Amino acid sequence: MGQQEKVATSLAGTVSEEISASLTTVDAELARRYPGDPGTRQPVHTVYVPGDVFEPGTLRSWGDQALAALDEHAPDAASFAAVLGIPEALAGPVHDRVRAKLEREPVEDLRIDFEDGYGPRPEAEEDEAAARAARLVSEAYANGTAAPYMGIRMKCMEAGVRDRGIRTTDVFLTGLMAAGGLPEGLVLTLPKVTYPEQVTAFVRLLDAFEKAHGLDAGRIGFEIQIETSQSILAADGTAAVARMIDAAQGRATGLHYGTFDYSACVGVSAAYQASDHPAADHAKAVMQVAAAGTGVRVSDGSTNVLPVGPTAQVHEAWRLHYGLTRRALARAYYQGWDMHPGHLPTRYAAVYAFYREGLEPAAARLAAYVAKAGGDVMDEPATAKALSGYLLRGIDCGALDTAEVARLTGLTRADLDAFASPRRGDLTVTAP
């Protein structure tokens, strides 16, 4: 042991107390505005089905159609991997997990669409469809056939369709309450939001519904769909999307990028409307920064190139979708839209390859961090948080198994959760 150092200070204890007192308001604002990720599962995609098309067997039908596409156009692991450029070592594990996923849980998040995918209908017809959607969703949760997340996309808050959107939301939610209550996986999507005041109006609607049914305040959350340039940059030069999150008063769960409406809004011609266009990258980057730390998740958009027709055409569409999905994952957009059952194989292939190829490096870095073992990368707590989040996302979607992650890291699921959403104070983990 070396010589013990003499510790001396120059400031009175009241200085620290006064500084802390001066920052009390800031501390409260940070806690309110930036609570961090909620730590719940985020689906890897959202599937949209028009309100008049959704049936009790829709989810199973999507899975069966996806499996049939695999059987017809890539019947084994080697052929599927060859189409997508998946490394040989991952071909078998990815293919097997994709098939198992399509058999077990083909859709993670379903939105019954009453907006663009449904269009204008007679009032009585949309009333009937919304009531039917509520009944079918309730039945699905009751009999175990529901997706983990389900809900509707109503019409937006613009003047021409506002009343219809409000009524459809009311009919749907009232139907759920009559059938036994709101399911835990309920998700609503508010489209074409341009002004924060439209978010405020939707909050008023949900608050009124909760009061009418004696529900806890804030029980119903919703996603904000970003489909107009004004939602990214307001007329006064501010980032309107950040103000929308604030206007949601804690109810916002996601920001969803609308590829085609947004592209058209900024003048991108139809042939170039895609989620990898520079205009799309700019919008999503602003969304990502606005949402960071707030607990609101960001979702990428979709591709309208459908994997249909002869095998060569299907393969081309698959490669496009796989590439766009991998690109989004690398940019930390962990969710996107899928518009056709044929998109499911490449959605899951891209997601599973992304997590499986990074499993061992991520696990080794996290284990070294926990063990203070060093290595060739010097990681910080923020990186440990990101590594844990990466592994948890892989587990939640079925790309990774809890047991294999535990074997490689020496950490339990609870340990990973603690790293991904650390609480105040010291972080305690189970030693390997």
Side-chain angles (χ1 to χ4, degrees):
M1 296 291 291
Q3 179 179 344
Q4 186 173 1
E5 298 291 341
K6 181 180 179 180
V7 177
T9 63
S10 302
L11 301 176
T14 55
V15 173
S16 178
E17 294 172 2
E18 290 170 357
I19 290 174
S20 293
S22 72
L23 291 174
T24 299
T25 302
V26 171
D27 292 341
E29 274 292 279
L30 282 171
R32 182 183 72 83
R33 291 180 181 273
Y34 303 104
D37 190 86
T40 55
R41 175 183 179 181
Q42 180 180 10
V44 302
H45 69 171
T46 301
V47 164
Y48 280 73
V49 177
D52 58 336
V53 173
F54 180 63
E55 299 285 350
T58 293
L59 299 180
R60 185 62 264 153
S61 174
W62 272 60
D64 291 343
Q65 291 180 67
L67 287 166
L70 275 177
D71 291 338
E72 180 177 358
H73 302 293
D76 53 46
S79 59
F80 192 45
V83 171
L84 302 178
I86 297 174
E88 183 178 351
L90 289 177
V94 168
H95 177 265
D96 292 347
R97 286 174 184 268
V98 168
R99 290 197 67 93
K101 179 72 168 182
L102 295 175
E103 292 166 356
R104 181 186 74 255
E105 186 185 78
V107 174
E108 292 195 357
D109 185 27
L110 174 76
R111 209 67 71 249
I112 304 169
D113 192 17
F114 289 94
E115 202 230 358
D116 285 349
Y118 185 75
R121 305 290 180 97
E123 296 294 323
E125 183 178 339
E126 184 160 340
D127 279 353
E128 172 71 19
R132 177 174 170 274
R135 175 176 60 81
L136 294 179
V137 168
S138 294
E139 290 175 356
Y141 277 104
N143 63 29
T145 62
Y149 300 95
M150 297 180 74
I152 65 168
R153 177 171 72 168
M154 68 292 297
K155 290 177 173 63
C156 69
M157 282 287 165
E158 293 179 356
V161 294
R162 182 185 304 136
D163 289 346
R164 182 62 260 181
I166 291 172
R167 183 172 175 83
T168 295
T169 304
D170 187 10
V171 170
F172 178 71
L173 294 176
T174 301
L176 291 178
M177 292 299 298
L182 305 181
E184 286 301 314
L186 174 67
V187 186
L188 304 177
T189 302
L190 180 64
K192 293 183 177 60
V193 181
T194 302
Y195 282 80
E197 288 82 359
Q198 293 168 326
V199 174
T200 300
F202 198 61
V203 168
R204 289 183 61 187
L205 167 64
L206 298 179
D207 181 64
F209 185 88
E210 289 164 350
K211 289 178 179 176
H213 288 273
L215 298 171
D216 291 340
R219 165 65 181 84
I220 308 171
F222 62 96
E223 301 162 339
I224 301 170
Q225 201 152 20
I226 305 301
E227 301 177 270
T228 67
S229 61
Q230 296 89 347
S231 60
I232 296 297
L233 188 68
D236 62 1
T238 61
V241 64
R243 293 165 54 208
M244 290 174 185
I245 292 174
D246 195 48
Q249 300 178 31
R251 293 180 186 267
T253 59
L255 300 176
H256 284 227
Y257 177 67
T259 304
F260 305 105
D261 280 289
Y262 187 90
S263 298
C265 181
V266 296
V268 179
S269 61
Y272 298 97
Q273 293 177 359
S275 61
D276 59 351
H277 189 280
D281 284 341
H282 171 259
K284 287 180 286 188
V286 174
M287 292 162 58
Q288 189 174 50
V289 173
T294 65
V296 178
R297 273 89 174 252
V298 175
S299 174
D300 197 6
S302 60
T303 175
N304 58 1
V305 179
L306 305 184
V308 297
T311 294
Q313 186 171 317
V314 170
H315 285 181
E316 184 176 355
W318 272 353
R319 282 189 288 268
L320 174 65
H321 186 240
Y322 179 87
L324 291 173
T325 303
R326 285 301 305 260
R327 183 180 189 274
L329 289 167
R331 286 159 174 76
Y333 308 132
Y334 299 112
Q335 185 175 355
W337 298 6
D338 287 326
M339 300 178 67
H340 187 273
H343 286 142
L344 299 185
T346 39
R347 169 67 61 182
Y348 292 122
V351 170
Y352 290 178
F354 175 75
Y355 289 111
R356 293 212 64 80
E357 70 187 18
L359 167 60
E360 293 190 5
R365 285 178 66 179
L366 186 57
Y369 176 85
V370 173
K372 309 295 184 187
D376 59 355
V377 178
M378 184 178 292
D379 285 325
E380 297 186 356
T383 305
K385 177 180 178 180
L387 291 167
S388 297
Y390 173 87
L391 296 172
L392 286 168
R393 289 179 185 277
I395 291 170
D396 285 343
C397 71
L400 310 177
D401 298 325
T402 304
E404 67 179 337
V405 173
R407 175 175 55 81
L408 291 169
T409 62
L411 302 174
T412 66
R413 170 70 192 240
D415 294 334
L416 295 174
D417 285 333
F419 271 118
S421 300
R423 295 183 175 88
R424 295 178 183 270
D426 294 334
L427 178 66
T428 301
V429 299
T430 304

